[in-house]
Amino acid sequence: MPPDTRDRFEALYLACYPAIHRYALRRTDSVDDVADVIAETFLTAWRRLDDVPDGDAALLWLYGVARRVLANHRRGESRRGALAARLRDELAAGQETAPADPRTDALRAAFAALSPADREVLALAGWEGLTGPQIATVLGCSSTAARLRLHKARKRLARLLGTTDEAPVMTPLRGETR
């Protein structure tokens, strides 16, 4: 990159950053969004530095870019919100309301009382249906270590449930998203 190109961009950034920051700050709801708008605006300026006019017109050009970045951001937010609402509706429609079962409640409570590591290894085996070697890959350990972790987690779950046998392979609980 030629030094004059870098120098021109740095001068543009230093001169216009405060104004673009204020522009984005007044038009967004979060600091993260402000940072995104500023970053995208100046990235566009860097990529199209030859198109950026000189002098006072540069700030006006950057305002135009920031305006388009904000419009794209708002469209994206709108699409994400609509998708999230649609997914919530689809998931809610697919949920069956099961009658209360004390065994399920006890299992849920015992499962919640386990350590996160125990819950994860049990969920990988029971809910995802993974084998010992597959669990090992997910956890980044040896197959032997994965099988041992699963065995110990099942024993701890059985103890919490008050049974002497190893806890059976778990199936997903209603409403459970793990």
Side-chain angles (χ1 to χ4, degrees), residues 53-76:
D54 292 324
D56 294 336
L59 179 59
L60 300 178
W61 188 89
L62 287 170
Y63 280 148
V65 171
R67 182 175 166 273
R68 286 185 290 281
V69 167
L70 279 166
N72 288 338
H73 177 74
R74 288 184 184 122
R75 279 191 298 274

Side-chain angles (χ1 to χ4, degrees), residues 16-40:
C16 297
Y17 175 87
I20 297 302
H21 179 264
R22 287 188 303 271
Y23 181 89
L25 191 60
R26 290 183 191 116
R27 289 163 175 81
T28 58
D29 295 328
S30 79
V31 175
D32 292 334
D33 291 343
V34 170
D36 289 346
V37 169
I38 292 169
E40 187 66 30

Side-chain angles (χ1 to χ4, degrees), residues 23-115:
Y23 181 89
L25 191 60
R26 290 183 191 116
R27 289 163 175 81
T28 58
D29 295 328
S30 79
V31 175
D32 292 334
D33 291 343
V34 170
D36 289 346
V37 169
I38 292 169
E40 187 66 30
T41 299
F42 282 103
L43 177 62
T44 300
W46 172 253
R47 288 180 177 159
R48 298 185 51 206
L49 195 55
D50 290 339
D51 296 334
V52 179
D54 292 324
D56 294 336
L59 179 59
L60 300 178
W61 188 89
L62 287 170
Y63 280 148
V65 171
R67 182 175 166 273
R68 286 185 290 281
V69 167
L70 279 166
N72 288 338
H73 177 74
R74 288 184 184 122
R75 279 191 298 274
E77 288 284 316
S78 176
R79 283 191 303 270
R80 283 186 292 279
L83 176 60
R86 191 176 84 228
L87 288 173
R88 272 192 303 276
D89 292 344
E90 288 175 11
L91 289 172
Q95 293 286 336
E96 299 173 16
T97 304
D101 181 351
R103 293 175 303 172
T104 300
D105 292 340
L107 180 58
R108 183 174 279 130
F111 187 76
L114 291 170
S115 70

